[in-house]
PDB file of all heavy atoms in Angstrom:
ATOM      1  N   ILE A  59      -0.199   7.677   6.173  1.00 97.00           N
ATOM      2  CA  ILE A  59      -0.904   6.517   5.528  1.00 97.00           C
ATOM      3  C   ILE A  59      -0.149   6.066   4.183  1.00 97.00           C
ATOM      4  O   ILE A  59      -0.076   6.931   3.230  1.00 97.00           O
ATOM      5  CB  ILE A  59      -2.275   6.966   5.143  1.00 97.00           C
ATOM      6  CG1 ILE A  59      -3.061   7.371   6.443  1.00 97.00           C
ATOM      7  CG2 ILE A  59      -3.026   5.747   4.510  1.00 97.00           C
ATOM      8  CD1 ILE A  59      -4.529   7.936   6.149  1.00 97.00           C
ATOM      9  N   TYR A  60       0.376   4.954   4.356  1.00 97.00           N
ATOM     10  CA  TYR A  60       1.163   4.333   3.167  1.00 97.00           C
ATOM     11  C   TYR A  60       0.163   3.551   2.306  1.00 97.00           C
ATOM     12  O   TYR A  60      -0.540   2.674   2.732  1.00 97.00           O
ATOM     13  CB  TYR A  60       2.221   3.459   3.641  1.00 97.00           C
ATOM     14  CG  TYR A  60       3.257   3.972   4.443  1.00 97.00           C
ATOM     15  CD1 TYR A  60       3.176   4.180   5.791  1.00 97.00           C
ATOM     16  CD2 TYR A  60       4.490   4.438   3.958  1.00 97.00           C
ATOM     17  CE1 TYR A  60       4.196   4.667   6.654  1.00 97.00           C
ATOM     18  CE2 TYR A  60       5.509   4.932   4.703  1.00 97.00           C
ATOM     19  CZ  TYR A  60       5.379   5.154   6.005  1.00 97.00           C
ATOM     20  OH  TYR A  60       6.388   5.689   6.807  1.00 97.00           O
ATOM     21  N   VAL A  61       0.043   4.054   1.100  1.00 96.00           N
ATOM     22  CA  VAL A  61      -0.934   3.451   0.139  1.00 96.00           C
ATOM     23  C   VAL A  61      -0.139   2.575  -0.841  1.00 96.00           C
ATOM     24  O   VAL A  61       0.661   3.176  -1.707  1.00 96.00           O
ATOM     25  CB  VAL A  61      -1.708   4.556  -0.620  1.00 96.00           C
ATOM     26  CG1 VAL A  61      -2.661   3.834  -1.618  1.00 96.00           C
ATOM     27  CG2 VAL A  61      -2.503   5.284   0.440  1.00 96.00           C
ATOM     28  N   VAL A  62      -0.148   1.323  -0.695  1.00 95.00           N
ATOM     29  CA  VAL A  62       0.509   0.336  -1.536  1.00 95.00           C
ATOM     30  C   VAL A  62      -0.425  -0.046  -2.639  1.00 95.00           C
ATOM     31  O   VAL A  62      -1.374  -0.819  -2.489  1.00 95.00           O
ATOM     32  CB  VAL A  62       0.978  -0.920  -0.796  1.00 95.00           C
ATOM     33  CG1 VAL A  62       1.811  -1.885  -1.620  1.00 95.00           C
ATOM     34  CG2 VAL A  62       1.793  -0.488   0.467  1.00 95.00           C
ATOM     35  N   ASP A  63      -0.306   0.522  -3.884  1.00 93.00           N
ATOM     36  CA  ASP A  63      -1.265   0.373  -4.929  1.00 93.00           C
ATOM     37  C   ASP A  63      -0.695   0.795  -6.288  1.00 93.00           C
ATOM     38  O   ASP A  63       0.528   0.753  -6.482  1.00 93.00           O
ATOM     39  CB  ASP A  63      -2.510   1.258  -4.549  1.00 93.00           C
ATOM     40  CG  ASP A  63      -3.806   0.730  -5.058  1.00 93.00           C
ATOM     41  OD1 ASP A  63      -3.977   0.466  -6.284  1.00 93.00           O
ATOM     42  OD2 ASP A  63      -4.717   0.370  -4.148  1.00 93.00           O
ATOM     43  N   THR A  64      -1.531   1.366  -7.215  1.00 89.00           N
ATOM     44  CA  THR A  64      -1.162   1.621  -8.549  1.00 89.00           C
ATOM     45  C   THR A  64      -0.488   2.963  -8.778  1.00 89.00           C
ATOM     46  O   THR A  64      -0.140   3.283  -9.911  1.00 89.00           O
ATOM     47  CB  THR A  64      -2.355   1.457  -9.499  1.00 89.00           C
ATOM     48  OG1 THR A  64      -3.334   2.485  -8.915  1.00 89.00           O
ATOM     49  CG2 THR A  64      -3.009   0.107  -9.577  1.00 89.00           C
ATOM     50  N   GLY A  65      -0.372   3.683  -7.644  1.00 92.00           N
ATOM     51  CA  GLY A  65       0.180   4.987  -7.657  1.00 92.00           C
ATOM     52  C   GLY A  65      -0.872   6.101  -7.423  1.00 92.00           C
ATOM     53  O   GLY A  65      -2.061   5.716  -7.457  1.00 92.00           O
ATOM     54  N   ILE A  66      -0.462   7.253  -7.083  1.00 93.00           N
ATOM     55  CA  ILE A  66      -1.409   8.299  -6.660  1.00 93.00           C
ATOM     56  C   ILE A  66      -1.116   9.573  -7.499  1.00 93.00           C
ATOM     57  O   ILE A  66      -0.012   9.989  -7.611  1.00 93.00           O
ATOM     58  CB  ILE A  66      -1.189   8.661  -5.186  1.00 93.00           C
ATOM     59  CG1 ILE A  66      -1.445   7.470  -4.335  1.00 93.00           C
ATOM     60  CG2 ILE A  66      -2.055   9.873  -4.738  1.00 93.00           C
ATOM     61  CD1 ILE A  66      -1.005   7.632  -2.820  1.00 93.00           C
ATOM     62  N   ARG A  67      -2.165  10.030  -8.046  1.00 91.00           N
ATOM     63  CA  ARG A  67      -2.107  11.305  -8.750  1.00 91.00           C
ATOM     64  C   ARG A  67      -2.061  12.441  -7.806  1.00 91.00           C
ATOM     65  O   ARG A  67      -3.099  12.829  -7.185  1.00 91.00           O
ATOM     66  CB  ARG A  67      -3.298  11.497  -9.789  1.00 91.00           C
ATOM     67  CG  ARG A  67      -3.187  12.713 -10.609  1.00 91.00           C
ATOM     68  CD  ARG A  67      -4.220  12.721 -11.769  1.00 91.00           C
ATOM     69  NE  ARG A  67      -5.531  12.450 -11.341  1.00 91.00           N
ATOM     70  CZ  ARG A  67      -6.421  13.501 -11.085  1.00 91.00           C
ATOM     71  NH1 ARG A  67      -6.087  14.717 -11.234  1.00 91.00           N
ATOM     72  NH2 ARG A  67      -7.687  13.235 -10.765  1.00 91.00           N
ATOM     73  N   THR A  68      -0.899  13.003  -7.636  1.00 90.00           N
ATOM     74  CA  THR A  68      -0.672  14.021  -6.623  1.00 90.00           C
ATOM     75  C   THR A  68      -1.301  15.328  -6.909  1.00 90.00           C
ATOM     76  O   THR A  68      -1.548  16.175  -6.121  1.00 90.00           O
ATOM     77  CB  THR A  68       0.826  14.318  -6.405  1.00 90.00           C
ATOM     78  OG1 THR A  68       1.357  14.676  -7.637  1.00 90.00           O
ATOM     79  CG2 THR A  68       1.571  13.097  -5.949  1.00 90.00           C
ATOM     80  N   THR A  69      -1.831  15.495  -8.065  1.00 91.00           N
ATOM     81  CA  THR A  69      -2.475  16.762  -8.585  1.00 91.00           C
ATOM     82  C   THR A  69      -3.877  16.700  -8.286  1.00 91.00           C
ATOM     83  O   THR A  69      -4.786  17.656  -8.551  1.00 91.00           O
ATOM     84  CB  THR A  69      -2.223  17.090  -9.957  1.00 91.00           C
ATOM     85  OG1 THR A  69      -2.704  15.989 -10.752  1.00 91.00           O
ATOM     86  CG2 THR A  69      -0.728  17.329 -10.197  1.00 91.00           C
ATOM     87  N   HIS A  70      -4.518  15.593  -7.716  1.00 92.00           N
ATOM     88  CA  HIS A  70      -5.917  15.530  -7.395  1.00 92.00           C
ATOM     89  C   HIS A  70      -6.269  16.525  -6.376  1.00 92.00           C
ATOM     90  O   HIS A  70      -5.629  16.630  -5.387  1.00 92.00           O
ATOM     91  CB  HIS A  70      -6.315  14.057  -6.952  1.00 92.00           C
ATOM     92  CG  HIS A  70      -7.638  13.756  -7.007  1.00 92.00           C
ATOM     93  ND1 HIS A  70      -8.589  14.352  -6.009  1.00 92.00           N
ATOM     94  CD2 HIS A  70      -8.525  13.000  -7.827  1.00 92.00           C
ATOM     95  CE1 HIS A  70      -9.827  13.919  -6.283  1.00 92.00           C
ATOM     96  NE2 HIS A  70      -9.731  13.168  -7.357  1.00 92.00           N
ATOM     97  N   ASP A  71      -7.418  17.199  -6.643  1.00 93.00           N
ATOM     98  CA  ASP A  71      -7.980  18.243  -5.662  1.00 93.00           C
ATOM     99  C   ASP A  71      -7.975  17.766  -4.236  1.00 93.00           C
ATOM    100  O   ASP A  71      -7.717  18.602  -3.343  1.00 93.00           O
ATOM    101  CB  ASP A  71      -9.314  18.825  -6.070  1.00 93.00           C
ATOM    102  CG  ASP A  71      -9.175  19.599  -7.377  1.00 93.00           C
ATOM    103  OD1 ASP A  71      -8.060  20.016  -7.776  1.00 93.00           O
ATOM    104  OD2 ASP A  71     -10.238  19.878  -8.043  1.00 93.00           O
ATOM    105  N   GLU A  72      -8.363  16.496  -3.987  1.00 93.00           N
ATOM    106  CA  GLU A  72      -8.583  15.997  -2.556  1.00 93.00           C
ATOM    107  C   GLU A  72      -7.229  15.811  -2.002  1.00 93.00           C
ATOM    108  O   GLU A  72      -7.120  15.682  -0.712  1.00 93.00           O
ATOM    109  CB  GLU A  72      -9.349  14.738  -2.707  1.00 93.00           C
ATOM    110  CG  GLU A  72     -10.784  14.835  -3.016  1.00 93.00           C
ATOM    111  CD  GLU A  72     -11.594  15.299  -1.884  1.00 93.00           C
ATOM    112  OE1 GLU A  72     -11.507  14.872  -0.813  1.00 93.00           O
ATOM    113  OE2 GLU A  72     -12.374  16.339  -2.106  1.00 93.00           O
ATOM    114  N   LEU A  73      -6.113  15.689  -2.731  1.00 95.00           N
ATOM    115  CA  LEU A  73      -4.856  15.315  -2.107  1.00 95.00           C
ATOM    116  C   LEU A  73      -3.681  16.230  -2.222  1.00 95.00           C
ATOM    117  O   LEU A  73      -2.639  16.083  -1.600  1.00 95.00           O
ATOM    118  CB  LEU A  73      -4.410  14.001  -2.831  1.00 95.00           C
ATOM    119  CG  LEU A  73      -5.534  13.018  -2.919  1.00 95.00           C
ATOM    120  CD1 LEU A  73      -4.943  11.759  -3.833  1.00 95.00           C
ATOM    121  CD2 LEU A  73      -5.897  12.295  -1.616  1.00 95.00           C
ATOM    122  N   ILE A  74      -3.905  17.325  -2.974  1.00 93.00           N
ATOM    123  CA  ILE A  74      -2.805  18.248  -3.251  1.00 93.00           C
ATOM    124  C   ILE A  74      -1.987  18.709  -1.984  1.00 93.00           C
ATOM    125  O   ILE A  74      -2.554  19.043  -0.969  1.00 93.00           O
ATOM    126  CB  ILE A  74      -3.340  19.534  -3.996  1.00 93.00           C
ATOM    127  CG1 ILE A  74      -3.719  19.171  -5.396  1.00 93.00           C
ATOM    128  CG2 ILE A  74      -2.301  20.707  -3.987  1.00 93.00           C
ATOM    129  CD1 ILE A  74      -4.283  20.290  -6.205  1.00 93.00           C
ATOM    130  N   GLY A  75      -0.740  18.622  -2.101  1.00 94.00           N
ATOM    131  CA  GLY A  75       0.194  19.029  -0.992  1.00 94.00           C
ATOM    132  C   GLY A  75       0.353  18.063   0.068  1.00 94.00           C
ATOM    133  O   GLY A  75       1.107  18.339   1.051  1.00 94.00           O
ATOM    134  N   ARG A  76      -0.267  16.965   0.052  1.00 95.00           N
ATOM    135  CA  ARG A  76      -0.120  16.012   1.204  1.00 95.00           C
ATOM    136  C   ARG A  76       0.385  14.574   0.686  1.00 95.00           C
ATOM    137  O   ARG A  76       0.341  13.659   1.545  1.00 95.00           O
ATOM    138  CB  ARG A  76      -1.490  15.829   1.934  1.00 95.00           C
ATOM    139  CG  ARG A  76      -1.868  17.031   2.679  1.00 95.00           C
ATOM    140  CD  ARG A  76      -3.093  16.867   3.477  1.00 95.00           C
ATOM    141  NE  ARG A  76      -4.353  16.451   2.605  1.00 95.00           N
ATOM    142  CZ  ARG A  76      -4.979  15.373   2.735  1.00 95.00           C
ATOM    143  NH1 ARG A  76      -4.705  14.523   3.669  1.00 95.00           N
ATOM    144  NH2 ARG A  76      -6.026  15.084   1.992  1.00 95.00           N
ATOM    145  N   VAL A  77       0.910  14.440  -0.472  1.00 96.00           N
ATOM    146  CA  VAL A  77       1.405  13.153  -0.932  1.00 96.00           C
ATOM    147  C   VAL A  77       2.867  13.225  -1.094  1.00 96.00           C
ATOM    148  O   VAL A  77       3.510  14.163  -1.652  1.00 96.00           O
ATOM    149  CB  VAL A  77       0.773  12.833  -2.161  1.00 96.00           C
ATOM    150  CG1 VAL A  77       1.269  11.475  -2.725  1.00 96.00           C
ATOM    151  CG2 VAL A  77      -0.719  12.717  -2.174  1.00 96.00           C
ATOM    152  N   ARG A  78       3.659  12.269  -0.560  1.00 96.00           N
ATOM    153  CA  ARG A  78       5.066  12.053  -0.915  1.00 96.00           C
ATOM    154  C   ARG A  78       5.223  10.652  -1.386  1.00 96.00           C
ATOM    155  O   ARG A  78       4.564   9.787  -0.940  1.00 96.00           O
ATOM    156  CB  ARG A  78       5.953  12.368   0.300  1.00 96.00           C
ATOM    157  CG  ARG A  78       5.984  11.318   1.364  1.00 96.00           C
ATOM    158  CD  ARG A  78       6.983  11.680   2.507  1.00 96.00           C
ATOM    159  NE  ARG A  78       6.785  10.871   3.660  1.00 96.00           N
ATOM    160  CZ  ARG A  78       7.517   9.781   3.855  1.00 96.00           C
ATOM    161  NH1 ARG A  78       8.481   9.438   3.013  1.00 96.00           N
ATOM    162  NH2 ARG A  78       7.389   9.094   4.893  1.00 96.00           N
TER     163      ARG A  78
END
Side-chain angles (χ1 to χ4, degrees):
I59 300 176
Y60 296 88
V61 178
V62 183
D63 212 299
T64 59
I66 299 170
R67 183 167 55 93
T68 60
T69 58
H70 192 287
D71 290 345
E72 290 283 311
L73 311 172
I74 286 178
R76 292 185 299 119
V77 180
R78 74 177 169 95

